[in-house]
């Protein structure tokens, strides 16, 4: 797309792809780095009671803005909209690094999250514009590699930066990377300029934002800040449902809807949205509970928590590259959602079998099975979704798929987390009586320092409780992954646009 000079095209596409991968890394790496720095940030700024909002503000802003960025790119051209999202992310990063109290940090993190919403969508939609689906498989390994790098490197980089440079640099580090991406995109990316006369669907955007915000708050607060049956949670559910019903009604009337409902008439697009939701549900649940199990039960060090996920992420990277190559060479892809979902079901069931005696080698093999399943799914869901819509809807297709995956991760962390916490507290009460209840009354997740201070009997009870909690969480994950497997069976193999060798335009 863009320059018609085929001689220069491959090199310019490679430079653009490098810039896009940097932008994707920025969006994914940020929460991983900041999570490691949080204890130090609280130590300097105070405001421990608002700690969760540092992450929640970012997540909310990202999820709520994702569909809007996608639509803006479709209406006004992707290059300018994508560069705007990078600039907004960098402004949020710089302000977060300068924050003087917790309130400021939360507000600046929301600005950063607004920009992050456009980064992921922009990357996916621009790749969708530049590279035909048939050729896109070649680049899947690159995207999976960035994801693995963020998850493994994030905690390590965050810890190193915080220890040596101070927590503010966990935000400032985004600036040089973002500027490189901005300059490369500005200089090399050439896409046709667009201008749609229809007005932006402000009412639809507002209703969708309210609906997504309510959903994310329910999944974030339910069972932690507020009981699931509390008035606050019930009100949020009512607001969320009302806003989303209103949003669907407005989409049928708007001239330029934020999320045009006709894209869901494509069977493959709708099925892939479901598979993406389940993949997000399972993946982020696994990423949350596996390090917790390995630290609490297997005695692994918290510092290297990212490295503990290597078997899962390594398998994900390899299978993603294989799936991409096979898709590019053959044009066939239906087998991957089916095999990927089946591997996730098996892998999560195996993880649910882990107990206090499971070796690291055994848990590593189980993780690799889950990772192989995810590798078959993560990029194929986006590829099939983009191939199921017209080019003019590439942005909303990319943003909708990203949104469903994000919402899946919110539900996964919340529901698996609630199940885990309840199980841990029940087992602690059974095995350690009043002392067990007292140990976990604030939180079912103890850090290494708190664990070391416990009496031997309480520590052993806690290890059994965590093993029991992860059993319940992963068993639920396996059950949810069955939904993806059933859904994947109904995917229709539609030929991918752009035959091999058809150029990048």
């Amino acid at each position: 797309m863009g320059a018609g000079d085929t001689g220069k095209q491959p090199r310019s596409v490679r430079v653009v792809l490098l810039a896009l991968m940097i932008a994707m890394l920025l969006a994914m790496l940020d929460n991983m780095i900041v999570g490691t720095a949080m204890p130090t940030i609280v130590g300097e700024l105070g405001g421990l009671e608002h700690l969760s909002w540092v992450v929640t503000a970012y997540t909310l802003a990202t999820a709520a803005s994702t569909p809007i960025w996608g639509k803006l790119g479709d209406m006004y051209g992707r290059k300018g909209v994508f560069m705007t999202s990078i600039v907004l992310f960098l402004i949020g990063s710089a302000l977060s690094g300068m924050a003087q109290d917790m309130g400021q940090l939360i507000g600046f993190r929301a600005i950063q999250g607004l920009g992050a919403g456009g980064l992921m969508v922009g990357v996916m939609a621009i790749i969708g514009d530049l590279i035909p689906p048939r050729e896109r498989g070649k680049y899947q390994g690159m995207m999976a590699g960035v994801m693995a790098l963020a998850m493994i490197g994030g905690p390590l980089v965050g810890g190193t930066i915080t220890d040596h440079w101070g927590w503010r640099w966990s935000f400032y580090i985004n600036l040089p990377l973002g500027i490189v991406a901005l300059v490369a995109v500005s200089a090399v990316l050439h896409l046709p300029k667009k201008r749609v006369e229809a007005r932006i669907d402000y009412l639809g955007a507002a209703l969708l934002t309210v609906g997504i915000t309510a959903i994310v708050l329910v999944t974030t607060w339910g069972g932690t800040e507020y009981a699931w049956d509390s008035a606050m949670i019930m009100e949020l559910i009512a607001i969320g449902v009302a806003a989303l019903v209103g949003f669907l009604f407005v989409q049928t009337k708007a001239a330029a809807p934020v999320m045009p409902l006709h894209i869901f008439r494509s069977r493959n697009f709708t099925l892939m949205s479901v598979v993406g939701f389940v993949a997000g549900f399972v993946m982020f649940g696994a990423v949350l509970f596996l390090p917790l199990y390995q630290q609490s039960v297997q005695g692994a060090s918290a510092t290297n928590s990212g490295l503990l996920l290597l078997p899962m992420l390594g398998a994900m990277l390899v299978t993603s590259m294989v799936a991409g190559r096979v898709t590019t060479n053959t044009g066939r892809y239906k087998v991957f959602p089916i095999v990927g979902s089946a591997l996730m079901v098996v892998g999560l069931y195996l993880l649910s079998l882990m107990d206090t005696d499971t070796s690291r080698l055994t848990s590593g093999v189980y993780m690799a099975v889950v990772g192989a399943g995810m590798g078959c799914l993560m990029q194929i869901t986006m590829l099939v979704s983009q191939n199921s819509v017209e080019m003019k809807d590439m942005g909303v297709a990319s943003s909708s798929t990203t949104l469903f995956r994000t919402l899946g991760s919110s539900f996964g962390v919340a529901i698996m987390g609630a199940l885990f916490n309840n199980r841990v507290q029940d087992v602690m009460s059974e095995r350690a009586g009043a002392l067990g209840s007292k140990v976990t009354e604030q939180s079912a997740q103890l850090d290494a320092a708190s664990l070391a201070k416990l009496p031997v009997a309480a520590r052993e009870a806690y290890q059994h409780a965590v093993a029991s909690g992860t059993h319940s969480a992963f068993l639920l994950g396996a059950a949810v992954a069955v939904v993806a497997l059933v859904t994947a069976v109904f995917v229709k193999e539609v030929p991918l646009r752009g035959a091999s060798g058809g150029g990048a335009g």
Side-chain angles (χ1 to χ4, degrees):
M1 199 109 188
D5 186 348
T6 52
K8 293 182 181 176
Q9 185 83 342
R11 200 174 82 185
S12 66
V13 167
R14 282 199 295 271
V15 174
V16 170
L17 279 171
L18 180 63
L20 295 178
M21 292 306 116
I22 291 172
M24 188 173 165
L25 185 65
L26 285 174
M28 298 194 71
L29 199 59
D30 196 74
N31 262 344
M32 299 285 180
I33 290 181
V34 172
T36 319
M38 282 315 300
T40 313
I41 293 172
V42 171
E44 184 173 323
L45 298 183
L48 180 62
E49 67 277 15
H50 305 305
L51 173 67
S52 62
W53 272 105
V54 175
V55 175
T56 304
Y58 181 89
T59 308
L60 267 179
T62 303
S65 64
T66 293
I68 297 162
W69 284 112
K71 185 62 185 177
L72 289 173
D74 283 343
M75 291 178 74
Y76 301 113
R78 269 181 250 299
K79 181 175 177 178
V81 170
F82 182 56
M83 289 175 68
T84 303
S85 72
I86 296 177
V87 169
L88 192 58
F89 181 83
L90 295 182
I91 289 170
S93 298
L95 291 172
S96 295
M98 293 187 277
Q100 298 303 308
D101 58 49
M102 198 57 93
Q104 285 184 13
L105 181 60
I106 290 165
F108 297 149
R109 283 282 284 163
I111 294 171
Q112 200 184 14
L114 286 174
L119 292 183
M120 288 299 288
V121 177
V123 168
M124 296 302 177
I126 290 170
I127 287 175
D129 271 356
L130 280 176
I131 301 160
R134 183 70 186 264
E135 300 294 323
R136 216 171 292 154
K138 293 176 186 173
Y139 303 99
Q140 277 183 209
M142 215 192 257
M143 288 182 252
V146 168
M147 193 178 291
L149 184 65
M151 288 180 176
I152 295 169
L156 296 174
V157 171
T160 305
I161 288 173
T162 304
D163 289 345
H164 293 91
W165 297 351
W167 67 265
R168 295 180 188 278
W169 276 96
S170 60
F171 296 107
Y172 293 149
I173 195 73
N174 294 330
L175 300 179
L177 285 172
I179 289 166
V180 168
L182 201 59
V183 169
V185 167
S186 173
V188 184
L189 179 62
H190 303 293
L191 293 171
K193 287 187 168 55
K194 297 179 186 175
R195 179 73 195 183
V196 177
E197 293 307 315
R199 290 184 58 198
I200 295 174
D201 175 18
Y202 290 109
L203 179 57
L207 286 169
L208 183 59
T209 301
V210 171
I212 292 171
T213 301
I215 290 170
V216 175
L217 286 178
V218 166
T219 56
T220 306
W221 285 348
T224 52
E225 302 281 324
Y226 301 95
W228 283 106
D229 57 355
S230 66
M232 173 62 86
I233 297 298
M234 291 297 132
E235 285 167 15
L236 281 171
I237 291 172
I239 290 167
V241 169
L244 292 177
V245 169
F247 168 73
L248 291 174
F249 176 75
V250 168
Q251 295 312 280
T252 63
K253 308 291 182 191
V258 173
M259 192 184 288
L261 300 183
H262 67 254
I263 61 175
F264 292 98
R265 287 187 202 134
S266 162
R267 182 171 83 176
N268 275 5
F269 182 84
T270 304
L271 292 174
M272 280 298 139
S273 297
V274 174
V275 172
F277 180 91
V278 173
F281 187 106
V282 167
M283 181 174 177
F284 285 90
V287 167
L288 180 68
F289 293 110
L290 280 169
L292 184 64
Y293 168 83
Q294 290 180 306
Q295 288 168 40
S296 303
V297 179
Q298 295 182 324
S301 135
T303 316
N304 299 325
S305 55
L307 296 174
L308 300 176
L309 298 172
L310 259 177
M312 186 174 81
L313 297 170
M316 187 175 84
L317 180 58
V318 171
T319 51
S320 183
M321 290 171 73
V322 170
R325 283 288 169 187
V326 170
T327 303
T328 296
N329 293 337
T330 67
R332 304 184 75 81
Y333 54 80
K334 179 173 177 175
V335 65
F336 295 113
I338 294 173
V339 170
S341 302
L343 284 171
M344 281 208 310
V345 173
V346 172
L348 287 160
Y349 176 71
L350 290 172
L351 287 175
S352 78
L353 301 178
M354 296 190 303
D355 57 25
T356 52
D357 299 321
T358 304
S359 70
R360 288 194 195 178
L361 175 63
T362 305
S363 59
V365 172
Y366 295 169
M367 280 193 275
V369 176
V370 175
M374 288 178 186
C376 290
L377 289 179
M378 293 309 284
Q379 304 306 329
I380 290 288
T381 51
M382 182 65 75
L383 176 71
V384 178
S385 297
Q386 290 180 336
N387 191 58
S388 304
V389 301
E390 295 176 45
M391 291 298 285
K392 69 182 177 64
D393 291 322
M394 188 68 72
V396 290
S398 304
S399 63
S400 300
T401 306
T402 306
L403 177 63
F404 282 115
R405 193 180 295 172
T406 304
L407 292 178
S409 68
S410 289
F411 276 93
V413 169
I415 297 170
M416 290 169 84
L419 199 62
F420 172 85
N421 288 344
N422 290 339
R423 192 72 196 120
V424 167
Q425 281 159 358
D426 289 347
V427 173
M428 284 297 281
S429 298
E430 286 167 20
R431 285 182 168 263
L435 174 62
S437 300
K438 191 176 179 200
V439 166
T440 57
E441 65 186 4
Q442 293 300 317
S443 170
Q445 301 176 27
L446 302 180
D447 58 23
S450 307
L451 202 55
K453 291 175 188 169
L454 292 179
V456 175
R459 192 183 313 136
E460 286 179 358
Y462 182 70
Q463 288 173 338
H464 280 283
V466 167
S468 181
T470 49
H471 165 77
S472 300
F474 287 129
L475 206 55
L476 171 70
V480 172
V482 171
V483 175
L485 178 57
V486 173
T487 305
V489 170
F490 293 98
V491 171
K492 189 178 175 187
E493 194 141 51
V494 178
L496 295 172
R497 286 193 294 261
S500 193

